[in-house]
């Protein structure tokens, strides 16, 4: 590594955050809050379905069992997102 030089891509420095991330950042106070909000959004989009190709786990890119654990740990009511 010594003696090597690295170029910085200046275009990354000029980028502006999207409006969505700015809105989310103002509402989230902790990492757990952000994770909970993200999981709840995925559950809402999947109408409460956790597994399968259209489930919340697939939307989040994590295993179903991991999502189930996080739902339990964050005390999310997964049944409140189901279609009625």
């Amino acid at each position: 590594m010594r003696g090597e030089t690295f170029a910085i891509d200046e275009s990354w420095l000029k980028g502006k955050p999207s409006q969505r991330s700015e809105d989310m950042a103002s509402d989230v106070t902790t990492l757990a809050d952000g994770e909970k909000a993200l999981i709840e959004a995925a559950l809402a989009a999947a109408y409460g379905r956790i597994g399968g190709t259209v489930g919340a786990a697939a939307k989040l890119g994590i295993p179903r069992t991991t999502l189930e654990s996080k739902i339990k740990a964050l005390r999310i009511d997964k049944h409140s997102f189901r279609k009625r």
Side-chain angles (χ1 to χ4, degrees):
M1 284 267 206
R2 272 195 172 166
E4 292 183 42
T5 58
F6 298 95
I8 297 174
D9 185 354
E10 301 268 337
S11 66
W12 285 74
L13 301 174
K14 296 175 186 171
K16 294 181 181 178
S18 68
Q19 184 63 35
R20 174 99 173 116
S21 63
E22 287 175 359
D23 290 343
M24 186 181 286
S26 64
D27 296 337
V28 176
T29 57
T30 66
L31 182 59
D33 289 341
E35 189 173 43
K36 185 174 182 177
L38 188 61
I39 291 170
E40 288 176 340
L43 283 168
Y47 301 104
R49 185 178 177 99
I50 294 172
T53 58
V54 295
K59 292 180 184 308
L60 294 169
I62 61 174
R64 179 193 53 78
T65 53
T66 301
L67 181 56
E68 288 279 3
S69 297
K70 289 183 177 292
I71 288 170
K72 185 176 180 181
L74 294 168
R75 297 182 180 170
I76 297 172
D77 179 13
K78 62 184 177 185
H79 301 291
S80 67
F81 296 95
R82 298 205 178 206
K83 278 186 180 178
R84 295 180 192 230

